[in-house]
Amino acid sequence: MNLRCMVVDDEPNAVNLLEVLIGQSTSWELVARCYNSLQAISFLKNNTVDLVFLDINMPLLTGMELAALLPADTAIVFTTAHSDHAAESYTYNTLDYLLKPITLKRFLSAVKKIEKHFQPAGSPAEPQKVNGYFFVKSGTQLHRILLQEILFFESRKEYVRVVAQTSDVLTYRRLKDIEAQLPPPFTRVHNSYIVNLAQINRIQDNHIHIGDTQIPIGEKFKEGVMEMVRRRTI
């Protein structure tokens, strides 16, 4: 796959590493190496790229600020030593979020995502809403709950709290057992939470907001969650 890409990073060693990784692992064309955002803006006045590897913490203009100025169809892979901006990064046309130091294994994983993104459209879209229902046992009662109305599941030791639009039920189950029965768009976002992606109001500061509830995104689930969010970001 022939992609035109550029690297924007104020650390020369980081630029050199990405140049080596791109050269050894892809057939992409690295058309520019920029050491601050102003150089990138100057280059892009007369040139176009498909993909930008973009550092976040830079002087003059941060990577986030530069991202807001890029053409909407320019794909971005953020590169940074900090995970604080992971959720915010996916408000842009972000394909991946690479934490430094970038390893070959992690870079190759990003390459798969990037090339999949640029493949011709045709694969089926994820369902936005799920049909069906569960009977949730609570004490001696069985509560019928529509899947599409479920907001999230919360683990509470030996129990799981099932929170829906019009009900809140505690059942004697393990979260991982419930997870095995759930179709998309239900997604594990934390050791203690499974959420319905279709019910999310917003994502901010590595937290998911559903109604009045704020749910943390666990570190080991963050990449998968943000990938799903990216597919539905416009």
Side-chain angles (χ1 to χ4, degrees):
M1 179 175 290
N2 185 23
L3 298 178
R4 289 171 55 84
C5 59
M6 67 186 298
V7 175
V8 186
D9 198 311
D10 63 329
E11 300 176 12
N13 288 340
V15 175
N16 293 339
L17 175 60
L18 281 169
E19 182 177 5
V20 170
L21 291 173
I22 291 168
Q24 292 182 345
S25 309
T26 76
S27 58
W28 307 341
E29 181 182 4
L30 181 59
V31 296
R33 305 160 191 80
C34 301
Y35 297 94
N36 59 60
S37 294
L38 298 185
Q39 290 181 3
I41 291 172
S42 178
F43 177 83
L44 291 172
K45 284 181 179 178
N46 300 306
N47 301 273
T48 60
V49 298
D50 302 303
L51 174 68
V52 179
F53 288 91
L54 182 56
D55 186 26
I56 292 179
N57 297 313
M58 293 188 292
L60 303 178
L61 202 66
T62 69
M64 290 293 179
E65 291 169 332
L66 176 59
L69 301 176
L70 295 175
D73 60 346
T74 302
I76 301 171
V77 173
F78 282 102
T79 60
T80 178
H82 309 282
S83 62
D84 300 351
H85 303 282
E88 180 186 357
S89 72
Y90 284 90
T91 60
Y92 303 103
N93 188 22
T94 304
L95 301 188
D96 212 336
Y97 189 96
L98 298 179
L99 289 176
K100 299 176 180 178
I102 300 170
T103 64
L104 175 60
K105 180 180 179 180
R106 183 64 184 86
F107 182 79
L108 292 176
S109 174
V111 169
K112 290 182 180 179
K113 293 181 184 179
I114 292 163
E115 296 201 333
K116 182 178 180 181
H117 172 79
F118 282 100
Q119 286 175 349
S123 56
E126 289 181 39
Q128 292 191 9
K129 188 170 75 173
V130 63
N131 295 316
Y133 57 87
F134 272 156
F135 280 108
V136 178
K137 185 176 181 180
S138 181
T140 59
Q141 298 181 344
L142 287 171
H143 299 262
R144 182 178 180 273
I145 302 177
L146 296 177
L147 286 176
Q148 67 189 49
E149 294 185 357
I150 295 175
L151 306 180
F152 61 89
F153 298 84
E154 178 188 6
S155 176
R156 292 193 171 185
K157 296 184 179 179
E158 297 88 0
Y159 292 85
V160 170
R161 180 186 174 210
V162 184
V163 180
Q165 294 172 354
T166 58
S167 63
D168 191 330
V169 179
L170 203 61
T171 184
Y172 186 68
R173 293 289 303 279
R174 293 185 303 176
L175 193 64
K176 70 175 185 178
D177 293 335
I178 291 177
E179 181 182 14
Q181 295 180 255
L182 292 169
F186 289 95
T187 303
R188 187 78 169 262
V189 300
H190 188 275
N191 285 334
S192 299
Y193 290 96
I194 297 171
V195 305
N196 184 350
L197 290 179
Q199 296 286 358
I200 293 176
N201 300 121
R202 70 181 188 278
I203 298 175
Q204 182 178 0
D205 299 329
N206 291 328
H207 283 76
I208 289 170
H209 294 258
I210 298 180
D212 296 327
T213 304
Q214 180 175 287
I215 296 171
I217 301 174
E219 189 65 34
K220 70 178 181 179
F221 301 99
K222 185 180 300 180
E223 183 177 335
V225 172
M226 292 307 149
E227 171 64 15
M228 291 183 183
V229 171
R230 181 200 63 75
R231 292 175 191 165
R232 296 202 171 275
T233 300
I234 60 174

